[in-house]
């Protein structure tokens, strides 16, 4: 274990760190049932890791780790670590959640390993004490509210410095990748396989760059472009939203007889923007929720799912006209996160602490938000507006990882992903020269394998995890799944 982790340290610290890092790799683990409300098959333990890998003699923290054992001792290949995304997403329950979604052949061969990344959940959690409006990662720009946006961004940075300043410099993707390698060693494995979703694809790619000889079979579901870390990721999502919105106008126009939003894409677009302008003058109340124009635009990620978002637009139009709307057409409530303060605090620790190209001048954000909204009216300003990173107090301890290697990996991607759009996955594919990419044509939503919906990419994932064989070349498949497609 120590040799691999040492390779990811600077030469000046590597030799001095060797002995204590070997100690972390030799630790004995005690497994027990995770929780009474979890399946008995889900076991938990704690793996100790250095808070600062440059000072392994110093403070250590516990990383909460879980597993569901492989179904067959005879066929077992090793461990499949998992990350659900974020940054800031807890992953301790992921093995139990993913087990039913994976093919039986995969479950036979791998112990499914989950973990709460450092700073998250049960792994030395970080809390900045953020107010509700500070727990939202993007905000629309307007001349009237920009001063409030700047004050809120500064407040988040100040709170994180005051309440978690000693931990923040160590909450990085590179350190989480190092933690994964300690977990590998503590489990007694020479290599790890991996399934990462969203931010988890970047984490996995960073691991392949830092520990290429410890990398076995890596599946990256809904990938980020490593070159855009991190401001470019936020802005890139709004570029995809504009493309999805255009597609939606075409879809709705073809069904004007059903929805009455316009017979041409231009008419549908005009009807939508008329609705936004009307809500700016007088907020629209739907199912007890008030929508001004920005609140309507804030639904921008929903436009990739044309059948789901259209009834909402229709209901808003009816409510604006004073007509009653069916109860089922209101915007769905967001899933309740177990600890939003923790998740968002960790998100900013990673995004601000290791991100490139965060301007320090708030006026630069103002100019970018105005420019991006002009180019992408639906949501351009959401991704470009001022963020806490403008005022972040913790300087990066090391540069973000440049991903550029020939390690094998399989990238699976929906064509219409609202959060990590196709262009970002293509950027990941360019960075991982040994990878293959399967694009689900017409696929909607954020996640291919992790959503549990049958997909034409499922057989590629199963074949790769069970045999190590990647597709011969990148390919695009139809989202319509035939029974034969579900077999490797």
């Amino acid at each position: 274990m120590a040799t691999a982790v040492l390779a990811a340290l600077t030469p000046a610290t590597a030799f001095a760190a060797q002995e204590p890092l070997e100690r972390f790799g030799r630790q004995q683990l005690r497994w027990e049932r995770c929780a009474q409300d979890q399946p008995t098959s889900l076991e938990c333990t704690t793996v100790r890791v250095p808070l600062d890998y440059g000072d392994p003699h110093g403070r250590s923290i516990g990383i909460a780790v879980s597993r569901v054992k492989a179904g067959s001792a005879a066929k077992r290949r090793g461990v499949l670590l998992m990350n659900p995304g974020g940054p800031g997403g807890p992953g301790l329950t992921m093995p139990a959640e993913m087990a039913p979604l994976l093919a039986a052949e995969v479950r036979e061969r791998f112990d499914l390993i989950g973990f709460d990344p450092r700073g998250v959940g049960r792994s030395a959690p970080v809390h900045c004490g953020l107010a509700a409006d500070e727990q939202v990662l993007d905000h629309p720009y307007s001349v009237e509210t920009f001063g409030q946006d700047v004050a809120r961004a500064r407040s988040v940075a100040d709170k994180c410095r005051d309440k978690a300043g000693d931990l923040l410099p160590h909450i990085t993707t590179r350190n989480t990748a190092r933690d994964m390698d300690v977990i590998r060693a503590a489990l007694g494995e020479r290599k790890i396989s991996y399934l990462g979703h969203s931010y988890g694809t970047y984490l996995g790619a960073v691991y392949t760059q830092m520990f290429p000889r410890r990398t076995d079979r890596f599946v990256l579901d809904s990938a980020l472009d490593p070159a855009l870390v991190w401001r470019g990721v936020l802005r890139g999502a709004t570029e995809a939203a504009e493309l999805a919105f255009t597609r939606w106008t075409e879809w709705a126009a073809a069904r004007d007889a059903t929805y009455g939003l316009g017979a041409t894409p231009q008419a549908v677009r005009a009807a939508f923007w008329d609705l936004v302008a009307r809500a700016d003058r007088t907020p629209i109340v739907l199912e007890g929720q008030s929508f001004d124009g920005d609140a309507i635009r804030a639904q921008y990620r929903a436009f990739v799912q044309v059948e789901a978002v259209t009834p909402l637009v229709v209901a808003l139009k009816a409510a604006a006209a004073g007509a009653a709307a069916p109860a089922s057409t209101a915007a769905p409530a967001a899933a309740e996160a177990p600890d939003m303060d923790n998740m968002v605090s960790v998100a900013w620790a990673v995004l601000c602490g290791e991100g490139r190209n965060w301007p320090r001048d708030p006026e630069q954000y103002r100019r970018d938000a105005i420019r991006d909204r002009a180019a992408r009216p639906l949501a351009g300003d959401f991704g470009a507006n001022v963020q806490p990173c403008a005022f972040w107090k913790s300087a990066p301890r090391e540069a973000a990882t440049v991903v550029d290697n020939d390690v094998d990996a399989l990238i699976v991607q929906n064509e219409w992903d609202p959060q990590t759009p196709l262009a970002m996955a293509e950027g990941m594919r360019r960075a991982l020269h040994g990878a293959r990419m399967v694009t689900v044509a017409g696929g909607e939503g954020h996640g291919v394998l992790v959503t549990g919906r049958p997909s034409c990419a499922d057989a590629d994932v199963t074949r790769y995890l069970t045999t190590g064989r990647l597709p011969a070349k990148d390919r695009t498949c139809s989202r319509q799944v035939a029974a034969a497609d579900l077999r490797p």
Side-chain angles (χ1 to χ4, degrees):
M1 187 285 297
T3 302
V5 174
L6 291 173
L9 294 173
T10 61
T13 60
F15 183 78
Q18 182 170 356
E19 183 178 345
L21 280 177
E22 288 179 347
R23 171 174 56 84
F24 284 107
R26 293 194 303 266
Q27 62 189 287
Q28 298 298 309
L29 303 182
R30 177 183 175 185
W31 294 93
E32 57 188 13
R33 184 176 177 182
C34 288
Q36 291 300 313
D37 61 348
Q38 292 294 325
T40 56
S41 60
L42 187 68
E43 302 175 295
C44 281
T45 191
T46 299
V47 175
R48 304 300 300 184
V49 300
L51 174 63
D52 181 353
Y53 278 87
D55 180 22
H57 291 280
R59 178 181 171 186
S60 68
I61 58 174
I63 303 298
V65 178
S66 62
R67 75 177 176 190
V68 171
K69 289 184 177 180
S72 170
K75 295 182 179 179
R76 183 184 181 278
R77 177 178 179 83
V79 295
L80 180 70
L81 268 69
M82 301 178 172
N83 181 275
L92 208 59
T93 60
M94 199 172 177
E97 294 161 354
M98 287 302 302
L101 309 184
L102 295 170
E105 304 96 301
V106 174
R107 299 196 303 273
E108 285 180 339
R109 287 168 171 79
F110 292 97
D111 293 348
L112 308 182
I113 306 294
F115 66 103
D116 284 348
R118 58 170 53 209
V120 177
R122 290 169 48 184
S123 299
V126 168
H127 289 91
C128 295
L130 304 179
D133 68 332
E134 295 172 336
Q135 296 176 8
V136 179
L137 294 183
D138 57 5
H139 296 269
Y141 168 82
S142 75
V143 174
E144 294 79 12
T145 63
F146 185 67
Q148 299 170 29
D149 296 339
V150 171
R152 179 176 52 245
R154 191 188 303 273
S155 171
V156 171
D158 288 345
K159 287 179 178 180
C160 287
R161 175 200 61 197
D162 294 343
K163 296 193 175 184
D166 60 330
L167 290 175
L168 292 182
H170 307 291
I171 307 299
T172 68
T173 304
R174 287 179 64 83
N175 278 339
T176 299
R178 293 179 178 118
D179 294 344
M180 288 168 55
D181 207 58
V182 174
I183 292 169
R184 174 199 60 76
L187 293 175
E189 300 291 332
R190 291 183 56 256
K191 293 185 176 184
I192 61 170
S193 293
Y194 179 80
L195 169 62
H197 172 241
S198 194
Y199 164 76
T201 66
Y202 177 65
L203 172 61
V206 168
Y207 185 92
T208 69
Q209 190 71 34
M210 295 175 68
F211 306 102
R213 287 181 290 183
R214 303 296 187 186
T215 299
D216 194 9
R217 299 168 185 176
F218 272 46
V219 177
L220 309 181
D221 185 346
S222 310
L224 296 173
D225 183 348
L228 297 181
V229 171
W230 280 110
R231 193 174 185 225
V233 170
L234 299 183
R235 297 174 80 177
T238 67
E239 294 179 13
E242 205 70 37
L243 295 173
F245 180 73
T246 296
R247 170 180 176 251
W248 170 75
T249 64
E250 296 166 351
W251 187 91
R255 294 158 180 80
D256 182 48
T258 300
Y259 297 110
L261 293 175
T264 66
Q266 294 78 9
V268 174
R269 185 179 294 268
F272 175 83
W273 287 112
D274 178 69
L275 186 65
V276 170
R278 189 167 184 172
D280 276 334
R281 294 190 299 269
T282 304
I284 301 168
V285 178
L286 178 63
E287 291 288 315
Q289 183 176 353
S290 179
F291 289 83
D292 61 9
D294 285 341
I296 295 175
R297 291 195 304 121
Q299 310 300 315
Y300 66 89
R301 292 185 180 91
F303 282 93
V304 300
Q305 296 176 313
V306 291
E307 293 185 56
V309 74
T310 307
L312 171 61
V313 177
V314 171
L316 286 167
K317 182 180 178 184
S328 62
T329 57
E336 190 69 26
D339 188 344
M340 282 302 296
D341 178 57
N342 176 226
M343 294 176 68
V344 175
S345 298
V346 171
W348 288 129
V350 173
L351 300 182
C352 299
E354 68 184 26
R356 299 182 284 264
N357 303 322
W358 287 110
R360 305 297 286 185
D361 180 7
E363 288 303 311
Q364 182 64 55
Y365 292 90
R366 183 200 296 271
R367 291 190 292 270
D368 289 346
I370 292 171
R371 185 183 303 113
D372 282 13
R373 182 164 182 180
R376 300 184 291 278
L378 181 63
D381 52 319
F382 281 84
N385 202 1
V386 65
Q387 300 287 15
C389 307
F391 309 104
W392 206 247
K393 304 302 190 295
S394 297
R397 295 290 184 94
E398 54 186 340
T401 303
V402 175
V403 177
D404 182 21
N405 64 56
D406 295 319
V407 175
D408 287 354
L410 177 63
I411 303 166
V412 291
Q413 180 74 24
N414 280 327
E415 180 184 12
W416 294 102
D417 187 311
Q419 293 179 248
T420 56
L422 180 59
M424 288 195 195
E426 291 168 344
M428 178 68 82
R429 175 64 183 88
R430 288 191 295 271
L432 296 176
H433 315 300
R436 294 292 183 270
M437 180 166 159
V438 178
T439 302
V440 180
E444 300 174 339
H446 186 43
V448 178
L449 184 67
V450 301
T451 63
R453 293 189 296 269
S455 162
C456 58
D458 291 352
D460 295 282
V461 171
T462 298
R463 184 182 301 110
Y464 172 57
L465 287 176
T466 55
T467 70
R469 286 189 286 118
L470 288 166
K473 59 182 180 179
D474 296 348
R475 75 184 192 94
T476 298
C477 63
S478 169
R479 65 175 173 172
Q480 299 299 320
V481 182
D485 292 329
L486 297 177
R487 295 193 296 270

